[in-house]
Amino acid sequence: MLGINRKLEELENRGVSIKVGLVGAGQMGRGMISQIENMAGMRVVVTADIQVDNVKNAYVKSGVSSSDIVETNDNAEAAAAIQAGKVVATTDAQLVTSLSEVDVVVDATGVPNIGAKIAWDAILNKKHIVMLNVEADVTVGPLLKKMADASGVVYTGTAGDEPGAIMELYDFADALGFEVVALGKGKNNPLNQAANPDTAAEEAARKGASPKMLASFQDGTKTMVEMTAVANATGFLPDKPGMNGFVSDVKGLPEIFKLKEDGGQVNNKKIVEYINGVAPGVFAIVASHKEEVNHEMQYLSMGDGPNYVLYRPYHLTSLETPISVARAYFYNEATIAPWKGLQAETVTVAKIDLKEGDFLDGIGGFTVYGSILSAEDAGKENALPLGLVDRNVQLKRSIKKGEIITYDDVVQTVDSTIWRLRRMQDETFKTDTGKAVAVKA
């Protein structure tokens, strides 16, 4: 991100701006629009949402005059409005991905199937795509990245989300030649795998958040998805299925991530993990075998070694997304992407006892939660990726609470973009044995 401010100022001084198209005017999208309105050299020129008033309100709250907001689903009218310096509010996501006036598309819907389609359409239209939709990324990201690479555009996760913030620490440490032992994040809420929109409703109302979204934080699904994205970017894997979920402050992290035979609490190095007690921060545990490096780390009050913690105490979610937009535009670089392919999977686990014929309801709902497995273990179980679950997925047999749901356990009553892309991904990365495995994109 160094120097991006100056690059944006240069654009502004030339009377040019990065033209951003946004899909999703919820909490994340609204924040991003307002943040970008403060910036030089960038503007959200078109935003789509199923409730067009959400878009108009987001623009007005960001300081855009209502007279400068054009509501339309027509391509020519939208293009003319943008060329005239106005912004467009629409209900048509495909307008965002198809407009030649848009340089970079951002998906902020949070819905895996919708996000997959937005990314697919953006890539086909040769536009960079920034995903504020980790759920879609961990399900079909390797395929989308391969497509983007072939099309000469950038497929990327976002700065500000925990995976992107973790990746910044990883890239820093890895570039300097440190051994990176572990990567992780703090969890804001105590793990409650029974959480659902009803149990989360009161707290959600206090925070002005969606009960379903809050439930996905509380039941651990969001954490599992985020660390799956980190695994697919780095090749790091969970120390055990579902991770450990240790309790610690920042100071205690280096000792935790020693191997058990050395007095620590983990079985492996190069792992992803979450910690109760360090939220909202993210961290990397690093080490060095060089005497002089260890001497200097100790001199710099980084601890006694052999492990040291690099800790970032904040992540600004969609307020940082413009950094990923700018990196894609200026440098053709991703903030985070599944560079290592499908290394881990967030699989579907029954939240309650479920009966044959029941329909599942997806992330943050009443029926299922997510747990991280290595892709190898998920493949052996034939586990159903959580990103494929929606209200069109029906059980073929009864499932007990806590049981992993497999492909064999479900029928898809309505086909969808993300299911088609996942089939394509599995076929693209299939080995000669005919089985889909952990792959490198």
Side-chain angles (χ1 to χ4, degrees), residues 220-336:
T221 296
K222 192 72 172 178
T223 293
M224 302 294 159
V225 167
E226 288 165 343
M227 299 318 296
T228 298
V230 175
N232 292 343
T234 63
F236 285 34
L237 295 174
D239 194 41
K240 68 176 189 179
M243 301 181 287
N244 293 290
F246 299 118
V247 177
S248 179
D249 57 12
V250 176
K251 187 177 180 181
L253 293 179
E255 290 297 312
I256 284 176
F257 288 98
K258 290 180 180 177
L259 296 176
K260 287 181 178 177
E261 56 260 38
D262 296 326
Q265 298 186 46
V266 298
N267 300 301
N268 301 285
K269 294 184 178 183
K270 294 190 175 181
I271 61 173
V272 292
E273 189 55 80
Y274 73 94
I275 299 290
N276 294 288
V278 300
V282 298
F283 63 87
I285 305 298
V286 303
S288 175
H289 299 294
K290 302 293 186 182
E291 180 182 348
E292 288 298 329
V293 172
N294 282 293
H295 174 75
E296 189 156 355
M297 292 291 276
Q298 291 159 16
Y299 172 77
L300 294 168
S301 300
M302 292 298 291
D304 297 328
N307 288 344
Y308 309 94
V309 59
L310 305 179
Y311 176 69
R312 179 180 168 179
Y314 66 91
H315 64 282
L316 305 184
T317 60
S318 63
L319 303 184
E320 294 185 55
T321 298
I323 297 296
S324 294
V325 170
R327 283 186 66 175
Y329 180 88
F330 288 126
Y331 307 122
N332 285 320
E333 289 180 353
T335 300
I336 181 171

Side-chain angles (χ1 to χ4, degrees), residues 17-49:
S17 65
I18 303 172
K19 293 179 282 296
V20 180
L22 171 66
V23 184
Q27 180 180 343
M28 296 294 104
R30 295 195 305 270
M32 193 193 84
I33 289 172
S34 282
Q35 191 68 39
I36 288 177
E37 278 297 307
N38 291 333
M39 296 173 60
M42 188 181 297
R43 196 176 205 200
V44 181
V45 295
V46 56
T47 301
D49 193 279

Side-chain angles (χ1 to χ4, degrees), residues 45-304:
V45 295
V46 56
T47 301
D49 193 279
I50 55 174
Q51 300 291 335
V52 74
D53 284 346
N54 290 345
V55 178
K56 292 189 284 189
N57 289 338
Y59 276 125
V60 168
K61 286 184 176 181
S62 75
V64 175
S65 169
S66 57
S67 61
D68 286 333
I69 304 169
V70 176
E71 181 182 343
T72 184
N73 288 348
D74 181 76
N75 192 294
E77 188 177 356
I82 293 168
Q83 291 164 11
K86 298 180 184 294
V87 298
V88 174
T90 182
T91 58
D92 184 3
Q94 286 189 290
L95 180 66
V96 176
T97 57
S98 63
L99 273 169
S100 60
E101 284 71 21
V102 169
D103 300 309
V104 183
V105 175
V106 176
D107 166 38
T109 63
V111 180
N113 183 57
I114 295 174
K117 179 168 176 48
I118 291 163
W120 174 269
D121 289 345
I123 293 166
L124 289 180
N125 283 285
K126 296 190 178 299
K127 299 185 189 301
H128 304 308
I129 174 68
V130 180
M131 300 293 284
L132 259 168
N133 191 331
V134 192
E135 296 81 0
D137 173 70
V138 300
T139 309
V140 292
L143 177 69
L144 292 170
K145 182 186 180 301
K146 185 178 181 69
M147 284 183 54
D149 290 347
S151 298
V153 296
V154 174
Y155 170 86
T156 180
T158 180
D161 221 351
E162 280 121 319
I166 291 169
M167 203 69 208
E168 290 175 10
L169 294 177
Y170 173 83
D171 285 348
F172 170 78
D174 186 53
L176 287 173
F178 283 103
E179 176 190 10
V180 183
V181 175
L183 298 167
K185 57 159 284 184
K187 191 175 185 309
N188 285 302
N189 315 92
L191 183 64
N192 173 18
Q193 291 173 334
N196 62 51
D198 287 347
T199 64
E202 184 177 341
E203 183 178 348
R206 289 198 309 270
K207 293 181 175 180
S210 158
K212 189 174 181 181
M213 181 179 71
L214 185 59
S216 75
F217 296 158
Q218 293 174 345
D219 70 13
T221 296
K222 192 72 172 178
T223 293
M224 302 294 159
V225 167
E226 288 165 343
M227 299 318 296
T228 298
V230 175
N232 292 343
T234 63
F236 285 34
L237 295 174
D239 194 41
K240 68 176 189 179
M243 301 181 287
N244 293 290
F246 299 118
V247 177
S248 179
D249 57 12
V250 176
K251 187 177 180 181
L253 293 179
E255 290 297 312
I256 284 176
F257 288 98
K258 290 180 180 177
L259 296 176
K260 287 181 178 177
E261 56 260 38
D262 296 326
Q265 298 186 46
V266 298
N267 300 301
N268 301 285
K269 294 184 178 183
K270 294 190 175 181
I271 61 173
V272 292
E273 189 55 80
Y274 73 94
I275 299 290
N276 294 288
V278 300
V282 298
F283 63 87
I285 305 298
V286 303
S288 175
H289 299 294
K290 302 293 186 182
E291 180 182 348
E292 288 298 329
V293 172
N294 282 293
H295 174 75
E296 189 156 355
M297 292 291 276
Q298 291 159 16
Y299 172 77
L300 294 168
S301 300
M302 292 298 291
D304 297 328

Side-chain angles (χ1 to χ4, degrees), residues 6-25:
R6 289 181 287 279
K7 298 285 283 186
L8 290 169
E9 286 169 6
E10 289 172 8
L11 277 188
E12 184 87 1
N13 291 338
R14 300 202 323 257
V16 179
S17 65
I18 303 172
K19 293 179 282 296
V20 180
L22 171 66
V23 184

